[in-house]
Amino acid sequence: ELFRRFPTALDMANGDISEIEEIVKPCGLYRMKADNIKSASQLLVTKYGGILPDTMEELLEFDGVGRKIANLLLGDVFGKEAIVCDTHCIRICGRLGLSQGKEPEKVERQLRAILPPEESSDFCHRIVLFGRDICTARVPKCEECPLAMHCKVFAP
């Protein structure tokens, strides 16, 4: 609905904030999200001529964009090395001994040191799916896990 009503970044940048809020309201935190959408659209149009930048530093300039989303864009849109360090990635990589700690940027640095750059984005997508299906936060399916023998948490 949002892109049907505002098909271009310029349309979104000039859009009525209350209309954007109404469209994104079902997503929760709609006022903040609407503000970020409008602000990001304005920056995209005024500073970048409507073309999404392809560096971490530039993407972090956008309201509402942190390292996780910037990495997602870098990997999925631009095909660049990207480590999307979300809750699944942090939990599972810690359990497997691939990383230590719970701070996303630290875990991201640790994974950059061991993952082949061309596989980093795909790795993170697979970890998310694995975290939803097998290695869940509360009740992991350790008995079904093909990686249980590498896990620091699993105790047969």
Side-chain angles (χ1 to χ4, degrees):
E1 177 60 28
L2 184 65
F3 295 111
R4 191 161 47 87
R5 173 61 189 92
F6 305 103
T8 69
L10 183 59
D11 293 331
M12 194 96 61
N14 294 328
D16 179 79
I17 191 70
S18 62
E19 191 173 352
I20 297 171
E21 286 176 350
E22 193 60 36
I23 294 169
V24 299
K25 194 172 191 175
C27 298
L29 303 172
Y30 68 96
R31 285 191 178 97
M32 184 187 328
K33 287 179 183 168
D35 284 341
N36 288 344
I37 289 168
K38 185 169 175 76
S39 169
S41 298
Q42 290 168 337
L43 180 63
L44 185 62
V45 169
T46 59
K47 185 170 181 180
Y48 295 103
I51 306 296
L52 187 66
D54 67 349
T55 69
M56 175 66 73
E57 296 73 24
E58 291 170 315
L59 290 169
L60 291 175
E61 293 176 24
F62 291 86
D63 288 337
V65 175
R67 291 190 69 82
K68 175 184 164 185
I69 296 301
N71 271 309
L72 189 67
L73 292 167
L74 290 171
D76 289 359
V77 174
F78 297 106
K80 293 185 171 189
E81 175 184 11
I83 306 224
V84 179
C85 221
D86 69 351
T87 183
H88 298 296
C89 181
I90 293 168
R91 179 181 70 254
I92 295 165
C93 289
R95 287 178 179 175
L96 294 175
L98 300 174
S99 64
Q100 295 177 345
K102 303 228 183 261
E103 296 174 46
E105 199 166 342
K106 283 185 180 179
V107 172
E108 179 186 331
R109 278 196 306 271
Q110 293 168 28
L111 293 176
R112 275 190 200 284
I114 60 172
L115 290 175
E118 67 278 3
E119 295 179 26
S120 60
S121 182
D122 188 52
F123 172 83
C124 292
H125 286 300
R126 290 175 187 272
I127 285 288
V128 168
L129 295 174
F130 185 68
R132 288 179 185 160
D133 296 340
I134 304 291
C135 195
T136 60
R138 293 200 174 109
V139 186
K141 299 174 185 167
C142 299
E143 300 297 329
E144 300 174 31
C145 181
L147 300 174
M149 74 285 288
H150 304 289
C151 184
K152 294 177 154 191
V153 176
F154 178 68

